[in-house]
Amino acid sequence: MTGYDMEKLTERVILVGVSVQERDDTEESLQELSELVRTAGAETVGMVIQNREQIHPGTYIGKGKIEEVLQLAYELEATGIVCDDELSPAQLRNLEQELEMKVMDRTLIILDIFAARASTNEGKIQVELAQLKYRQARLVGLGSSLSRLGGGIGTRGPGEKKLEMDRRLIKNRIAQLNRELDEVKRHREVTRSKRSQQSTAVAAIVGYTNAGKSTLLNTMTGAAVLEEDKLFATLDPTTRVLELPSGQEILLTDTVGFIRKLPHHLIDAFRSTLEEAKYADIILHVVDASNPQMEQQMLVVYDTLNNLGVKDKTVITLFNKLDRVEGEVRLKDHKADYVEKVSAKYGEGLETLKERLEKILDERQVLIERLYDYKDAGVIQLIRKYGRLLEEDYRAEGIYVRAYVPMEIYGSVTP
């Protein structure tokens, strides 16, 4: 019996970047773009970097480079190009006319990955909102792409059925999504408010994408969050309870990974999710110690946190993936209050991290020594849940307690 293999056609793309000054990070940025393209399901078949004083305002790269890309695309049988920066509508339109092939940019690739990864209602709303804002600005620039049929990068998720919308429909949809997102944000604020009333400390896990945040959350709390060696493996935030050696609890919240040139549409759309870091008591900054771009990635994380208004937090930097580090690597972070070396995958250094968290919580608490009447035994349960019980002695005259308690419940346990 004969038949055909109906294999899905993998897009073959050439990556294009512009270097505007010597020794900048264009090459590393293209390597990262290659990872993004792989995550989106396409294959990188070539890379082109043009050295220019500035990005060409009309076509991103110069005329000569366009000819070079055309020739390379023919030789490598490429189906499209991906530019390393966000293209303006004019650049997109002009490049499509010059190259007569699919033209994409870094933002479109990231949006596509986000569309594939969003699983919660909030995540889907945020992705669609970001996609629509991106497309709204490019309705003219997309030109022939609007009538192009078929799949591939940039057609995934809720955006696919919206491509034919005119500006008015997109504007109405954006307004509706913003209302839905406001509702989600209100719900999130209620949840945060309940958490603060319960006096449970919160540690937000932040870091560059693929640094090992989900692995850390899984290993420490058994959260069963997706772990993949891909960029943006998890998109929606997950919060789990971590019980420390003394019995007191802390909430760990995973956040979406950061990346260089993170599109502003996404920072705006995901602000409510990213703000988990803003309202946390402690920041756990996970760093991939095996990545040669480690220091640049740390800088991106701190810049993003700064843009979100995350300030005056206790920061613990976790140099992760120690099992992959070869030779002597300098592991320092002058912006952190504490530094720990861990391997989240194999559990190395995590007990030390728990002890560190315990000490930080103790420093934020008040030491009490009291004798409670036996009828007030319920108060001790409160201390046990939110504080740290150092001593509990049942005497004839009552229960003697020596413990650390958070300031928030101090009034409740010392009537």
Side-chain angles (χ1 to χ4, degrees):
M1 182 180 172
T2 59
Y4 295 100
D5 281 335
M6 299 295 286
E7 280 188 32
K8 185 183 172 186
L9 183 68
T10 302
E11 289 187 72
R12 295 166 60 82
V13 298
I14 293 169
L15 309 185
V16 181
V18 177
S19 174
V20 293
Q21 61 187 63
E22 277 188 69
R23 291 196 294 274
D24 63 11
D25 67 348
T26 306
E27 201 169 321
E28 291 82 8
S29 189
L30 278 186
Q31 292 293 343
E32 185 174 86
L33 183 59
S34 178
E35 272 296 297
L36 286 166
V37 163
R38 179 179 75 87
T39 302
E43 180 189 354
T44 299
V45 293
M47 289 187 189
V48 173
I49 295 176
Q50 177 166 35
N51 297 309
R52 285 180 63 94
E53 284 186 10
Q54 61 180 40
I55 289 170
H56 193 290
T59 50
Y60 185 66
I61 50 175
K63 184 78 177 169
K65 218 62 174 175
I66 289 174
E67 295 294 329
E68 188 183 317
V69 170
L70 254 174
Q71 182 61 34
L72 193 63
Y74 175 75
E75 289 170 9
L76 299 172
E77 297 180 355
T79 56
I81 71 160
V82 182
C83 298
D84 194 36
D85 296 278
E86 188 169 316
L87 298 175
S88 70
Q91 287 170 333
L92 184 67
R93 182 175 64 248
N94 295 337
L95 270 178
E96 278 207 332
Q97 286 172 354
E98 293 278 352
L99 294 169
E100 294 184 340
M101 67 168 71
K102 190 171 183 179
V103 176
M104 297 164 279
D105 62 16
R106 189 185 184 94
T107 300
L108 188 71
I109 302 296
I110 292 174
L111 286 171
D112 195 70
I113 294 167
F114 273 44
R117 298 290 162 96
S119 58
T120 65
N121 186 42
E122 180 184 8
K124 286 172 183 173
I125 291 170
Q126 288 171 326
V127 169
E128 184 175 357
L129 193 58
Q131 282 182 320
L132 289 176
K133 283 180 178 176
Y134 174 84
R135 290 197 171 106
Q136 185 183 37
R138 286 160 184 77
L139 271 180
V140 177
L142 281 163
S144 59
S145 320
L146 278 169
S147 57
R148 186 188 283 121
L149 294 171
I153 296 171
T155 61
R156 200 188 324 245
E160 185 174 12
K161 59 180 181 287
K162 308 290 186 293
L163 264 175
E164 296 77 21
M165 280 184 173
D166 62 14
R167 276 198 175 85
R168 182 177 54 80
L169 286 172
I170 286 184
K171 194 176 174 184
N172 290 345
R173 181 65 179 152
I174 285 174
Q176 184 189 338
L177 288 171
N178 275 323
R179 285 193 295 272
E180 288 180 30
L181 206 53
D182 284 342
E183 191 58 44
V184 170
K185 194 174 180 181
R186 273 195 293 275
H187 178 72
R188 188 180 287 283
E189 280 166 3
V190 167
T191 306
R192 281 195 197 117
S193 174
K194 283 180 181 174
R195 273 193 219 150
S196 61
Q197 286 168 12
Q198 289 174 344
S199 311
T200 308
V202 179
I205 305 172
V206 304
Y208 209 77
T209 182
N210 207 26
K213 299 183 299 301
S214 298
T215 307
L216 179 75
L217 186 70
N218 285 345
T219 308
M220 292 188 83
T221 67
V225 175
L226 173 71
E227 294 172 33
E228 268 190 301
D229 189 17
K230 280 186 177 180
L231 304 181
F232 301 117
T234 49
L235 186 58
D236 300 297
T238 306
T239 301
R240 293 289 182 270
V241 175
L242 171 67
E243 188 173 317
L244 297 170
S246 64
Q248 64 181 322
E249 295 175 345
I250 185 169
L251 292 174
L252 294 189
T253 298
D254 192 8
T255 61
V256 64
F258 300 156
I259 196 166
R260 73 185 89 194
K261 300 180 184 177
L262 186 67
H264 64 273
H265 308 286
L266 282 175
I267 290 184
D268 290 345
F270 281 82
R271 189 166 289 276
S272 63
T273 304
L274 291 166
E275 278 182 346
E276 286 294 335
K278 191 174 178 178
Y279 296 102
D281 303 288
I282 299 165
I283 302 290
L284 293 178
H285 176 193
V286 183
V287 177
D288 179 356
S290 69
N291 194 306
Q293 297 298 309
M294 174 181 72
E295 291 190 4
Q296 289 94 320
Q297 292 183 352
M298 288 164 68
L299 201 61
V300 169
V301 171
Y302 281 121
D303 281 348
T304 310
L305 288 174
N306 192 47
N307 290 339
L308 290 165
V310 179
K311 291 169 185 169
D312 306 321
K313 303 287 180 187
T314 301
V315 177
I316 306 174
T317 292
L318 305 176
F319 286 105
N320 188 30
K321 304 191 184 181
L322 282 185
D323 49 293
R324 294 189 188 179
V325 176
E326 293 177 7
E328 200 62 38
V329 181
R330 182 174 165 271
L331 300 174
K332 286 187 178 178
D333 182 3
H334 299 296
K335 293 190 176 183
D337 297 285
Y338 306 98
V339 168
E340 301 289 349
K341 297 172 185 178
V342 302
S343 170
K345 187 176 181 181
Y346 297 105
E348 284 177 41
L350 298 189
E351 290 308 313
T352 310
L353 172 60
K354 288 178 185 176
E355 288 167 15
R356 171 69 67 197
L357 288 169
E358 203 140 59
K359 282 177 186 172
I360 292 169
L361 294 184
D362 284 352
E363 286 166 9
R364 294 161 174 252
Q365 295 178 343
V366 184
L367 182 66
I368 59 164
E369 291 184 72
R370 288 187 68 87
L371 192 67
Y372 290 96
D373 200 288
Y374 278 98
K375 66 178 172 59
D376 297 324
V379 173
I380 297 165
Q381 284 301 105
L382 196 65
I383 295 170
R384 195 176 276 116
K385 186 171 184 182
Y386 298 117
R388 185 177 178 187
L389 207 53
L390 301 174
E391 196 178 336
E392 185 180 4
D393 187 22
Y394 288 79
R395 300 172 181 175
E397 61 274 25
I399 309 164
Y400 169 77
V401 168
R402 187 166 159 269
Y404 280 110
V405 295
M407 276 303 298
E408 293 88 346
I409 68 160
Y410 181 72
S412 306
V413 299
T414 54

